[in-house]
Amino acid sequence: MFKFITFIAFLITPVAFAGTTIQKSDIVQAFYQTNVIKLGSKFPFSPSYSLTNIHVIGDIENYQQKFLLNSHCDAALIPEKNKEEDLPTFQKSKLGEEVLMYGHPGARSEELEVKAKIIGYSILKDFNYTKNCKLAVVNAKVYQGMSGGPVYNKQGEVIGMILGTSKSKTESYFIPMEEIADFLLANNR
């Protein structure tokens, strides 16, 4: 079991999940850039960093000094101060597991919740930021702006980070925590 420290939480909100109610920290934040037009989500990782996708932060050359990047699996750590008591726990993903995916689609200020089930794992050959990175495939569509948001299991543990929707728009991908665990543990500050 992974226990990564994560940051930024505001409210504890009850979340209904297949007849069970769990407590979920409302940690998802919108991530907007002004100098590079990008839109996505981010969530706490440690007292010093938030986690998002590289494709959300945009022009990598401008950010190499500011952010810690894992170009193998489209993961970026953004320096931010966060409260220790608001950090979530992390766990490995499991095939067939029901999940809740959170993010800020479009210009909406409120987060959107998408319920889904892990139906498989895949490697995307045609996406620049996930070379040979195993991705979880779920049976639901996520929306532009949700990239970088957390994926929760029934126990309220973060098991991954949203990547995006498939070309068919009927499935979505997320990066399982186990795929970026070494990167996160090496930068757990």
Side-chain angles (χ1 to χ4, degrees), residues 61-98:
E61 284 76 39
N62 290 334
Y63 298 109
Q64 283 181 340
Q65 301 303 315
K66 296 179 185 177
F67 301 149
L68 299 172
L69 307 174
N70 177 340
S71 56
H72 169 71
C73 277
D74 194 18
L77 289 170
I78 304 166
E80 293 184 320
K81 299 290 180 202
N82 300 286
K83 296 178 183 176
E84 186 88 27
E85 65 269 14
D86 295 330
L87 305 176
T89 57
F90 295 81
Q91 183 59 265
K92 290 177 67 170
S93 64
K94 298 177 188 129
L95 185 63
E97 186 170 32
E98 292 180 353

PDB file of all heavy atoms in Angstrom, residues 61-98:
ATOM      1  N   GLU A  61       9.792  23.878 -21.593  1.00  0.00           N
ATOM      2  CA  GLU A  61      11.048  24.618 -21.511  1.00  0.00           C
ATOM      3  C   GLU A  61      10.955  25.767 -20.518  1.00  0.00           C
ATOM      4  O   GLU A  61      11.911  26.093 -19.838  1.00  0.00           O
ATOM      5  CB  GLU A  61      11.457  25.163 -22.892  1.00  0.00           C
ATOM      6  CG  GLU A  61      12.034  24.124 -23.832  1.00  0.00           C
ATOM      7  CD  GLU A  61      10.970  23.219 -24.437  1.00  0.00           C
ATOM      8  OE1 GLU A  61       9.881  23.710 -24.773  1.00  0.00           O
ATOM      9  OE2 GLU A  61      11.230  22.016 -24.563  1.00  0.00           O
ATOM     10  N   ASN A  62       9.805  26.400 -20.409  1.00  0.00           N
ATOM     11  CA  ASN A  62       9.634  27.518 -19.478  1.00  0.00           C
ATOM     12  C   ASN A  62       9.478  27.076 -18.038  1.00  0.00           C
ATOM     13  O   ASN A  62       9.569  27.896 -17.134  1.00  0.00           O
ATOM     14  CB  ASN A  62       8.405  28.363 -19.864  1.00  0.00           C
ATOM     15  CG  ASN A  62       8.646  29.136 -21.136  1.00  0.00           C
ATOM     16  OD1 ASN A  62       9.780  29.442 -21.467  1.00  0.00           O
ATOM     17  ND2 ASN A  62       7.587  29.429 -21.853  1.00  0.00           N
ATOM     18  N   TYR A  63       9.242  25.797 -17.785  1.00  0.00           N
ATOM     19  CA  TYR A  63       8.929  25.343 -16.444  1.00  0.00           C
ATOM     20  C   TYR A  63       9.915  24.353 -15.856  1.00  0.00           C
ATOM     21  O   TYR A  63       9.759  23.943 -14.725  1.00  0.00           O
ATOM     22  CB  TYR A  63       7.521  24.732 -16.414  1.00  0.00           C
ATOM     23  CG  TYR A  63       6.487  25.742 -16.777  1.00  0.00           C
ATOM     24  CD1 TYR A  63       5.829  25.669 -17.988  1.00  0.00           C
ATOM     25  CD2 TYR A  63       6.206  26.791 -15.919  1.00  0.00           C
ATOM     26  CE1 TYR A  63       4.894  26.625 -18.336  1.00  0.00           C
ATOM     27  CE2 TYR A  63       5.278  27.749 -16.265  1.00  0.00           C
ATOM     28  CZ  TYR A  63       4.628  27.663 -17.463  1.00  0.00           C
ATOM     29  OH  TYR A  63       3.720  28.611 -17.810  1.00  0.00           O
ATOM     30  N   GLN A  64      10.944  23.984 -16.582  1.00  0.00           N
ATOM     31  CA  GLN A  64      11.869  22.976 -16.080  1.00  0.00           C
ATOM     32  C   GLN A  64      12.516  23.387 -14.761  1.00  0.00           C
ATOM     33  O   GLN A  64      12.793  22.533 -13.930  1.00  0.00           O
ATOM     34  CB  GLN A  64      12.937  22.660 -17.120  1.00  0.00           C
ATOM     35  CG  GLN A  64      12.392  21.760 -18.213  1.00  0.00           C
ATOM     36  CD  GLN A  64      13.430  21.410 -19.239  1.00  0.00           C
ATOM     37  OE1 GLN A  64      14.432  22.079 -19.375  1.00  0.00           O
ATOM     38  NE2 GLN A  64      13.169  20.355 -19.986  1.00  0.00           N
ATOM     39  N   GLN A  65      12.749  24.659 -14.548  1.00  0.00           N
ATOM     40  CA  GLN A  65      13.359  25.113 -13.308  1.00  0.00           C
ATOM     41  C   GLN A  65      12.356  25.159 -12.158  1.00  0.00           C
ATOM     42  O   GLN A  65      12.727  25.085 -11.005  1.00  0.00           O
ATOM     43  CB  GLN A  65      13.983  26.503 -13.505  1.00  0.00           C
ATOM     44  CG  GLN A  65      15.048  26.556 -14.578  1.00  0.00           C
ATOM     45  CD  GLN A  65      16.176  25.566 -14.319  1.00  0.00           C
ATOM     46  OE1 GLN A  65      16.665  25.440 -13.208  1.00  0.00           O
ATOM     47  NE2 GLN A  65      16.583  24.829 -15.345  1.00  0.00           N
ATOM     48  N   LYS A  66      11.070  25.297 -12.451  1.00  0.00           N
ATOM     49  CA  LYS A  66      10.054  25.472 -11.419  1.00  0.00           C
ATOM     50  C   LYS A  66       9.394  24.163 -10.992  1.00  0.00           C
ATOM     51  O   LYS A  66       9.035  24.002  -9.839  1.00  0.00           O
ATOM     52  CB  LYS A  66       8.959  26.419 -11.907  1.00  0.00           C
ATOM     53  CG  LYS A  66       9.439  27.821 -12.169  1.00  0.00           C
ATOM     54  CD  LYS A  66       8.295  28.674 -12.663  1.00  0.00           C
ATOM     55  CE  LYS A  66       8.789  30.044 -13.034  1.00  0.00           C
ATOM     56  NZ  LYS A  66       7.744  30.878 -13.575  1.00  0.00           N
ATOM     57  N   PHE A  67       9.188  23.239 -11.921  1.00  0.00           N
ATOM     58  CA  PHE A  67       8.432  22.033 -11.648  1.00  0.00           C
ATOM     59  C   PHE A  67       9.313  20.799 -11.759  1.00  0.00           C
ATOM     60  O   PHE A  67      10.279  20.778 -12.500  1.00  0.00           O
ATOM     61  CB  PHE A  67       7.274  21.885 -12.647  1.00  0.00           C
ATOM     62  CG  PHE A  67       6.305  23.023 -12.636  1.00  0.00           C
ATOM     63  CD1 PHE A  67       5.642  23.372 -13.800  1.00  0.00           C
ATOM     64  CD2 PHE A  67       6.033  23.747 -11.490  1.00  0.00           C
ATOM     65  CE1 PHE A  67       4.721  24.417 -13.808  1.00  0.00           C
ATOM     66  CE2 PHE A  67       5.122  24.783 -11.477  1.00  0.00           C
ATOM     67  CZ  PHE A  67       4.466  25.122 -12.635  1.00  0.00           C
ATOM     68  N   LEU A  68       8.948  19.748 -11.018  1.00  0.00           N
ATOM     69  CA  LEU A  68       9.609  18.456 -11.156  1.00  0.00           C
ATOM     70  C   LEU A  68       8.791  17.635 -12.138  1.00  0.00           C
ATOM     71  O   LEU A  68       7.577  17.484 -11.975  1.00  0.00           O
ATOM     72  CB  LEU A  68       9.678  17.761  -9.797  1.00  0.00           C
ATOM     73  CG  LEU A  68      10.464  18.508  -8.719  1.00  0.00           C
ATOM     74  CD1 LEU A  68      10.295  17.828  -7.371  1.00  0.00           C
ATOM     75  CD2 LEU A  68      11.933  18.579  -9.101  1.00  0.00           C
ATOM     76  N   LEU A  69       9.436  17.113 -13.181  1.00  0.00           N
ATOM     77  CA  LEU A  69       8.719  16.458 -14.273  1.00  0.00           C
ATOM     78  C   LEU A  69       9.077  14.986 -14.408  1.00  0.00           C
ATOM     79  O   LEU A  69      10.230  14.603 -14.238  1.00  0.00           O
ATOM     80  CB  LEU A  69       9.033  17.164 -15.595  1.00  0.00           C
ATOM     81  CG  LEU A  69       8.817  18.679 -15.629  1.00  0.00           C
ATOM     82  CD1 LEU A  69       9.313  19.250 -16.938  1.00  0.00           C
ATOM     83  CD2 LEU A  69       7.366  19.016 -15.395  1.00  0.00           C
ATOM     84  N   ASN A  70       8.072  14.177 -14.738  1.00  0.00           N
ATOM     85  CA  ASN A  70       8.275  12.780 -15.091  1.00  0.00           C
ATOM     86  C   ASN A  70       7.684  12.604 -16.482  1.00  0.00           C
ATOM     87  O   ASN A  70       6.495  12.341 -16.639  1.00  0.00           O
ATOM     88  CB  ASN A  70       7.575  11.862 -14.091  1.00  0.00           C
ATOM     89  CG  ASN A  70       7.694  10.394 -14.460  1.00  0.00           C
ATOM     90  OD1 ASN A  70       7.958  10.041 -15.598  1.00  0.00           O
ATOM     91  ND2 ASN A  70       7.478   9.532 -13.491  1.00  0.00           N
ATOM     92  N   SER A  71       8.509  12.794 -17.504  1.00  0.00           N
ATOM     93  CA  SER A  71       8.015  12.745 -18.884  1.00  0.00           C
ATOM     94  C   SER A  71       7.634  11.336 -19.316  1.00  0.00           C
ATOM     95  O   SER A  71       6.957  11.148 -20.319  1.00  0.00           O
ATOM     96  CB  SER A  71       9.040  13.345 -19.847  1.00  0.00           C
ATOM     97  OG  SER A  71      10.267  12.672 -19.711  1.00  0.00           O
ATOM     98  N   HIS A  72       8.038  10.328 -18.571  1.00  0.00           N
ATOM     99  CA  HIS A  72       7.674   8.938 -18.874  1.00  0.00           C
ATOM    100  C   HIS A  72       6.166   8.725 -18.722  1.00  0.00           C
ATOM    101  O   HIS A  72       5.554   8.002 -19.499  1.00  0.00           O
ATOM    102  CB  HIS A  72       8.441   7.995 -17.947  1.00  0.00           C
ATOM    103  CG  HIS A  72       7.986   6.583 -17.970  1.00  0.00           C
ATOM    104  ND1 HIS A  72       8.191   5.742 -19.043  1.00  0.00           N
ATOM    105  CD2 HIS A  72       7.303   5.848 -17.053  1.00  0.00           C
ATOM    106  CE1 HIS A  72       7.668   4.567 -18.779  1.00  0.00           C
ATOM    107  NE2 HIS A  72       7.120   4.596 -17.581  1.00  0.00           N
ATOM    108  N   CYS A  73       5.560   9.370 -17.714  1.00  0.00           N
ATOM    109  CA  CYS A  73       4.135   9.150 -17.434  1.00  0.00           C
ATOM    110  C   CYS A  73       3.329  10.443 -17.287  1.00  0.00           C
ATOM    111  O   CYS A  73       2.318  10.460 -16.591  1.00  0.00           O
ATOM    112  CB  CYS A  73       3.968   8.317 -16.169  1.00  0.00           C
ATOM    113  SG  CYS A  73       4.108   6.547 -16.446  1.00  0.00           S
ATOM    114  N   ASP A  74       3.743  11.523 -17.919  1.00  0.00           N
ATOM    115  CA  ASP A  74       2.953  12.764 -17.934  1.00  0.00           C
ATOM    116  C   ASP A  74       2.601  13.259 -16.530  1.00  0.00           C
ATOM    117  O   ASP A  74       1.463  13.612 -16.244  1.00  0.00           O
ATOM    118  CB  ASP A  74       1.680  12.570 -18.771  1.00  0.00           C
ATOM    119  CG  ASP A  74       0.993  13.897 -19.117  1.00  0.00           C
ATOM    120  OD1 ASP A  74       1.638  14.954 -19.018  1.00  0.00           O
ATOM    121  OD2 ASP A  74      -0.194  13.863 -19.468  1.00  0.00           O
ATOM    122  N   ALA A  75       3.586  13.281 -15.640  1.00  0.00           N
ATOM    123  CA  ALA A  75       3.353  13.735 -14.267  1.00  0.00           C
ATOM    124  C   ALA A  75       4.253  14.925 -13.957  1.00  0.00           C
ATOM    125  O   ALA A  75       5.419  14.955 -14.347  1.00  0.00           O
ATOM    126  CB  ALA A  75       3.625  12.605 -13.277  1.00  0.00           C
ATOM    127  N   ALA A  76       3.694  15.895 -13.242  1.00  0.00           N
ATOM    128  CA  ALA A  76       4.457  17.074 -12.840  1.00  0.00           C
ATOM    129  C   ALA A  76       4.097  17.448 -11.413  1.00  0.00           C
ATOM    130  O   ALA A  76       2.928  17.420 -11.024  1.00  0.00           O
ATOM    131  CB  ALA A  76       4.153  18.241 -13.778  1.00  0.00           C
ATOM    132  N   LEU A  77       5.120  17.805 -10.640  1.00  0.00           N
ATOM    133  CA  LEU A  77       4.910  18.299  -9.290  1.00  0.00           C
ATOM    134  C   LEU A  77       5.103  19.809  -9.306  1.00  0.00           C
ATOM    135  O   LEU A  77       6.124  20.309  -9.768  1.00  0.00           O
ATOM    136  CB  LEU A  77       5.892  17.636  -8.322  1.00  0.00           C
ATOM    137  CG  LEU A  77       5.617  16.161  -8.041  1.00  0.00           C
ATOM    138  CD1 LEU A  77       6.778  15.535  -7.264  1.00  0.00           C
ATOM    139  CD2 LEU A  77       4.315  15.990  -7.280  1.00  0.00           C
ATOM    140  N   ILE A  78       4.102  20.521  -8.783  1.00  0.00           N
ATOM    141  CA  ILE A  78       4.103  21.982  -8.750  1.00  0.00           C
ATOM    142  C   ILE A  78       4.422  22.422  -7.325  1.00  0.00           C
ATOM    143  O   ILE A  78       3.736  22.005  -6.392  1.00  0.00           O
ATOM    144  CB  ILE A  78       2.713  22.532  -9.140  1.00  0.00           C
ATOM    145  CG1 ILE A  78       2.299  22.007 -10.495  1.00  0.00           C
ATOM    146  CG2 ILE A  78       2.694  24.045  -9.094  1.00  0.00           C
ATOM    147  CD1 ILE A  78       0.827  22.235 -10.787  1.00  0.00           C
ATOM    148  N   PRO A  79       5.439  23.266  -7.123  1.00  0.00           N
ATOM    149  CA  PRO A  79       5.738  23.730  -5.764  1.00  0.00           C
ATOM    150  C   PRO A  79       4.572  24.533  -5.183  1.00  0.00           C
ATOM    151  O   PRO A  79       4.122  25.508  -5.779  1.00  0.00           O
ATOM    152  CB  PRO A  79       6.964  24.634  -5.945  1.00  0.00           C
ATOM    153  CG  PRO A  79       7.510  24.299  -7.277  1.00  0.00           C
ATOM    154  CD  PRO A  79       6.374  23.800  -8.107  1.00  0.00           C
ATOM    155  N   GLU A  80       4.060  24.085  -4.035  1.00  0.00           N
ATOM    156  CA  GLU A  80       2.979  24.772  -3.316  1.00  0.00           C
ATOM    157  C   GLU A  80       3.041  24.376  -1.854  1.00  0.00           C
ATOM    158  O   GLU A  80       3.445  23.268  -1.531  1.00  0.00           O
ATOM    159  CB  GLU A  80       1.602  24.392  -3.872  1.00  0.00           C
ATOM    160  CG  GLU A  80       1.369  24.891  -5.266  1.00  0.00           C
ATOM    161  CD  GLU A  80      -0.024  24.588  -5.775  1.00  0.00           C
ATOM    162  OE1 GLU A  80      -0.547  23.491  -5.522  1.00  0.00           O
ATOM    163  OE2 GLU A  80      -0.582  25.461  -6.440  1.00  0.00           O
ATOM    164  N   LYS A  81       2.621  25.257  -0.991  1.00  0.00           N
ATOM    165  CA  LYS A  81       2.542  24.959   0.448  1.00  0.00           C
ATOM    166  C   LYS A  81       1.158  24.407   0.748  1.00  0.00           C
ATOM    167  O   LYS A  81       0.163  24.973   0.343  1.00  0.00           O
ATOM    168  CB  LYS A  81       2.793  26.219   1.278  1.00  0.00           C
ATOM    169  CG  LYS A  81       4.160  26.824   1.060  1.00  0.00           C
ATOM    170  CD  LYS A  81       5.223  25.939   1.650  1.00  0.00           C
ATOM    171  CE  LYS A  81       6.594  26.553   1.424  1.00  0.00           C
ATOM    172  NZ  LYS A  81       7.642  25.596   1.478  1.00  0.00           N
ATOM    173  N   ASN A  82       1.113  23.281   1.468  1.00  0.00           N
ATOM    174  CA  ASN A  82      -0.148  22.621   1.776  1.00  0.00           C
ATOM    175  C   ASN A  82      -0.164  22.138   3.215  1.00  0.00           C
ATOM    176  O   ASN A  82       0.874  21.889   3.807  1.00  0.00           O
ATOM    177  CB  ASN A  82      -0.368  21.443   0.829  1.00  0.00           C
ATOM    178  CG  ASN A  82      -0.408  21.916  -0.598  1.00  0.00           C
ATOM    179  OD1 ASN A  82      -1.376  22.518  -1.018  1.00  0.00           O
ATOM    180  ND2 ASN A  82       0.659  21.665  -1.330  1.00  0.00           N
ATOM    181  N   LYS A  83      -1.354  21.982   3.749  1.00  0.00           N
ATOM    182  CA  LYS A  83      -1.524  21.568   5.139  1.00  0.00           C
ATOM    183  C   LYS A  83      -1.351  20.057   5.281  1.00  0.00           C
ATOM    184  O   LYS A  83      -1.974  19.287   4.555  1.00  0.00           O
ATOM    185  CB  LYS A  83      -2.906  21.970   5.636  1.00  0.00           C
ATOM    186  CG  LYS A  83      -3.120  23.459   5.664  1.00  0.00           C
ATOM    187  CD  LYS A  83      -4.531  23.766   6.124  1.00  0.00           C
ATOM    188  CE  LYS A  83      -4.788  25.261   6.094  1.00  0.00           C
ATOM    189  NZ  LYS A  83      -6.188  25.559   6.449  1.00  0.00           N
ATOM    190  N   GLU A  84      -0.565  19.651   6.230  1.00  0.00           N
ATOM    191  CA  GLU A  84      -0.304  18.237   6.502  1.00  0.00           C
ATOM    192  C   GLU A  84      -1.587  17.461   6.791  1.00  0.00           C
ATOM    193  O   GLU A  84      -1.773  16.343   6.321  1.00  0.00           O
ATOM    194  CB  GLU A  84       0.656  18.131   7.690  1.00  0.00           C
ATOM    195  CG  GLU A  84       1.119  16.734   7.990  1.00  0.00           C
ATOM    196  CD  GLU A  84       2.354  16.337   7.208  1.00  0.00           C
ATOM    197  OE1 GLU A  84       3.147  17.210   6.824  1.00  0.00           O
ATOM    198  OE2 GLU A  84       2.504  15.137   6.992  1.00  0.00           O
ATOM    199  N   GLU A  85      -2.498  18.046   7.561  1.00  0.00           N
ATOM    200  CA  GLU A  85      -3.722  17.342   7.956  1.00  0.00           C
ATOM    201  C   GLU A  85      -4.686  17.125   6.788  1.00  0.00           C
ATOM    202  O   GLU A  85      -5.642  16.360   6.904  1.00  0.00           O
ATOM    203  CB  GLU A  85      -4.444  18.070   9.101  1.00  0.00           C
ATOM    204  CG  GLU A  85      -4.975  19.434   8.747  1.00  0.00           C
ATOM    205  CD  GLU A  85      -4.002  20.581   9.010  1.00  0.00           C
ATOM    206  OE1 GLU A  85      -2.797  20.325   9.231  1.00  0.00           O
ATOM    207  OE2 GLU A  85      -4.446  21.728   8.964  1.00  0.00           O
ATOM    208  N   ASP A  86      -4.448  17.758   5.655  1.00  0.00           N
ATOM    209  CA  ASP A  86      -5.344  17.643   4.508  1.00  0.00           C
ATOM    210  C   ASP A  86      -4.852  16.660   3.447  1.00  0.00           C
ATOM    211  O   ASP A  86      -5.434  16.567   2.377  1.00  0.00           O
ATOM    212  CB  ASP A  86      -5.539  19.013   3.858  1.00  0.00           C
ATOM    213  CG  ASP A  86      -6.239  19.991   4.774  1.00  0.00           C
ATOM    214  OD1 ASP A  86      -7.049  19.535   5.613  1.00  0.00           O
ATOM    215  OD2 ASP A  86      -5.985  21.189   4.659  1.00  0.00           O
ATOM    216  N   LEU A  87      -3.784  15.943   3.725  1.00  0.00           N
ATOM    217  CA  LEU A  87      -3.175  15.075   2.714  1.00  0.00           C
ATOM    218  C   LEU A  87      -3.891  13.736   2.595  1.00  0.00           C
ATOM    219  O   LEU A  87      -4.175  13.101   3.596  1.00  0.00           O
ATOM    220  CB  LEU A  87      -1.705  14.859   3.065  1.00  0.00           C
ATOM    221  CG  LEU A  87      -0.895  16.144   3.234  1.00  0.00           C
ATOM    222  CD1 LEU A  87       0.513  15.819   3.672  1.00  0.00           C
ATOM    223  CD2 LEU A  87      -0.901  16.963   1.969  1.00  0.00           C
ATOM    224  N   PRO A  88      -4.185  13.287   1.366  1.00  0.00           N
ATOM    225  CA  PRO A  88      -4.839  11.987   1.177  1.00  0.00           C
ATOM    226  C   PRO A  88      -3.840  10.830   1.225  1.00  0.00           C
ATOM    227  O   PRO A  88      -2.644  11.032   1.210  1.00  0.00           O
ATOM    228  CB  PRO A  88      -5.455  12.105  -0.223  1.00  0.00           C
ATOM    229  CG  PRO A  88      -4.577  13.062  -0.927  1.00  0.00           C
ATOM    230  CD  PRO A  88      -4.067  14.016   0.113  1.00  0.00           C
ATOM    231  N   THR A  89      -4.368   9.622   1.262  1.00  0.00           N
ATOM    232  CA  THR A  89      -3.532   8.428   1.163  1.00  0.00           C
ATOM    233  C   THR A  89      -3.636   7.899  -0.260  1.00  0.00           C
ATOM    234  O   THR A  89      -4.576   8.213  -0.989  1.00  0.00           O
ATOM    235  CB  THR A  89      -3.975   7.339   2.157  1.00  0.00           C
ATOM    236  OG1 THR A  89      -5.342   7.036   1.906  1.00  0.00           O
ATOM    237  CG2 THR A  89      -3.793   7.794   3.589  1.00  0.00           C
ATOM    238  N   PHE A  90      -2.670   7.080  -0.647  1.00  0.00           N
ATOM    239  CA  PHE A  90      -2.608   6.535  -1.998  1.00  0.00           C
ATOM    240  C   PHE A  90      -2.596   5.022  -1.947  1.00  0.00           C
ATOM    241  O   PHE A  90      -2.146   4.429  -0.985  1.00  0.00           O
ATOM    242  CB  PHE A  90      -1.350   7.035  -2.711  1.00  0.00           C
ATOM    243  CG  PHE A  90      -1.350   8.518  -2.951  1.00  0.00           C
ATOM    244  CD1 PHE A  90      -0.991   9.393  -1.951  1.00  0.00           C
ATOM    245  CD2 PHE A  90      -1.730   9.024  -4.175  1.00  0.00           C
ATOM    246  CE1 PHE A  90      -0.999  10.760  -2.162  1.00  0.00           C
ATOM    247  CE2 PHE A  90      -1.733  10.387  -4.395  1.00  0.00           C
ATOM    248  CZ  PHE A  90      -1.363  11.254  -3.387  1.00  0.00           C
ATOM    249  N   GLN A  91      -3.064   4.410  -3.042  1.00  0.00           N
ATOM    250  CA  GLN A  91      -3.141   2.957  -3.136  1.00  0.00           C
ATOM    251  C   GLN A  91      -2.978   2.548  -4.596  1.00  0.00           C
ATOM    252  O   GLN A  91      -3.192   3.352  -5.498  1.00  0.00           O
ATOM    253  CB  GLN A  91      -4.489   2.483  -2.599  1.00  0.00           C
ATOM    254  CG  GLN A  91      -4.713   1.000  -2.553  1.00  0.00           C
ATOM    255  CD  GLN A  91      -3.687   0.277  -1.712  1.00  0.00           C
ATOM    256  OE1 GLN A  91      -2.709  -0.210  -2.259  1.00  0.00           O
ATOM    257  NE2 GLN A  91      -3.892   0.203  -0.410  1.00  0.00           N
ATOM    258  N   LYS A  92      -2.635   1.299  -4.831  1.00  0.00           N
ATOM    259  CA  LYS A  92      -2.552   0.753  -6.189  1.00  0.00           C
ATOM    260  C   LYS A  92      -3.954   0.585  -6.771  1.00  0.00           C
ATOM    261  O   LYS A  92      -4.908   0.339  -6.050  1.00  0.00           O
ATOM    262  CB  LYS A  92      -1.866  -0.611  -6.166  1.00  0.00           C
ATOM    263  CG  LYS A  92      -0.393  -0.555  -5.863  1.00  0.00           C
ATOM    264  CD  LYS A  92       0.205  -1.937  -5.780  1.00  0.00           C
ATOM    265  CE  LYS A  92       0.181  -2.591  -7.149  1.00  0.00           C
ATOM    266  NZ  LYS A  92       0.943  -3.840  -7.199  1.00  0.00           N
ATOM    267  N   SER A  93      -4.059   0.660  -8.080  1.00  0.00           N
ATOM    268  CA  SER A  93      -5.336   0.425  -8.770  1.00  0.00           C
ATOM    269  C   SER A  93      -5.526  -1.074  -8.979  1.00  0.00           C
ATOM    270  O   SER A  93      -4.557  -1.833  -9.000  1.00  0.00           O
ATOM    271  CB  SER A  93      -5.353   1.145 -10.113  1.00  0.00           C
ATOM    272  OG  SER A  93      -4.360   0.612 -10.973  1.00  0.00           O
ATOM    273  N   LYS A  94      -6.797  -1.489  -9.140  1.00  0.00           N
ATOM    274  CA  LYS A  94      -7.108  -2.903  -9.366  1.00  0.00           C
ATOM    275  C   LYS A  94      -8.100  -3.039 -10.517  1.00  0.00           C
ATOM    276  O   LYS A  94      -9.092  -2.305 -10.578  1.00  0.00           O
ATOM    277  CB  LYS A  94      -7.716  -3.515  -8.102  1.00  0.00           C
ATOM    278  CG  LYS A  94      -6.797  -3.506  -6.920  1.00  0.00           C
ATOM    279  CD  LYS A  94      -7.493  -4.067  -5.695  1.00  0.00           C
ATOM    280  CE  LYS A  94      -6.623  -3.853  -4.488  1.00  0.00           C
ATOM    281  NZ  LYS A  94      -7.294  -3.234  -3.379  1.00  0.00           N
ATOM    282  N   LEU A  95      -7.872  -3.975 -11.385  1.00  0.00           N
ATOM    283  CA  LEU A  95      -8.783  -4.265 -12.490  1.00  0.00           C
ATOM    284  C   LEU A  95     -10.171  -4.572 -11.941  1.00  0.00           C
ATOM    285  O   LEU A  95     -10.310  -5.309 -10.964  1.00  0.00           O
ATOM    286  CB  LEU A  95      -8.268  -5.455 -13.300  1.00  0.00           C
ATOM    287  CG  LEU A  95      -9.044  -5.810 -14.562  1.00  0.00           C
ATOM    288  CD1 LEU A  95      -9.000  -4.670 -15.570  1.00  0.00           C
ATOM    289  CD2 LEU A  95      -8.479  -7.069 -15.193  1.00  0.00           C
ATOM    290  N   GLY A  96     -11.203  -3.971 -12.522  1.00  0.00           N
ATOM    291  CA  GLY A  96     -12.575  -4.182 -12.101  1.00  0.00           C
ATOM    292  C   GLY A  96     -13.036  -3.256 -10.987  1.00  0.00           C
ATOM    293  O   GLY A  96     -14.209  -3.250 -10.622  1.00  0.00           O
ATOM    294  N   GLU A  97     -12.131  -2.469 -10.455  1.00  0.00           N
ATOM    295  CA  GLU A  97     -12.444  -1.576  -9.337  1.00  0.00           C
ATOM    296  C   GLU A  97     -13.307  -0.394  -9.793  1.00  0.00           C
ATOM    297  O   GLU A  97     -13.095   0.170 -10.858  1.00  0.00           O
ATOM    298  CB  GLU A  97     -11.112  -1.058  -8.772  1.00  0.00           C
ATOM    299  CG  GLU A  97     -11.202  -0.236  -7.535  1.00  0.00           C
ATOM    300  CD  GLU A  97      -9.822   0.015  -6.932  1.00  0.00           C
ATOM    301  OE1 GLU A  97      -8.818   0.117  -7.678  1.00  0.00           O
ATOM    302  OE2 GLU A  97      -9.760   0.117  -5.702  1.00  0.00           O
ATOM    303  N   GLU A  98     -14.301  -0.049  -8.974  1.00  0.00           N
ATOM    304  CA  GLU A  98     -15.108   1.146  -9.228  1.00  0.00           C
ATOM    305  C   GLU A  98     -14.334   2.352  -8.722  1.00  0.00           C
ATOM    306  O   GLU A  98     -13.682   2.293  -7.675  1.00  0.00           O
ATOM    307  CB  GLU A  98     -16.451   1.047  -8.519  1.00  0.00           C
ATOM    308  CG  GLU A  98     -17.343  -0.019  -9.109  1.00  0.00           C
ATOM    309  CD  GLU A  98     -18.687  -0.115  -8.399  1.00  0.00           C
ATOM    310  OE1 GLU A  98     -18.879   0.549  -7.358  1.00  0.00           O
ATOM    311  OE2 GLU A  98     -19.534  -0.863  -8.881  1.00  0.00           O
TER     312      GLU A  98
END
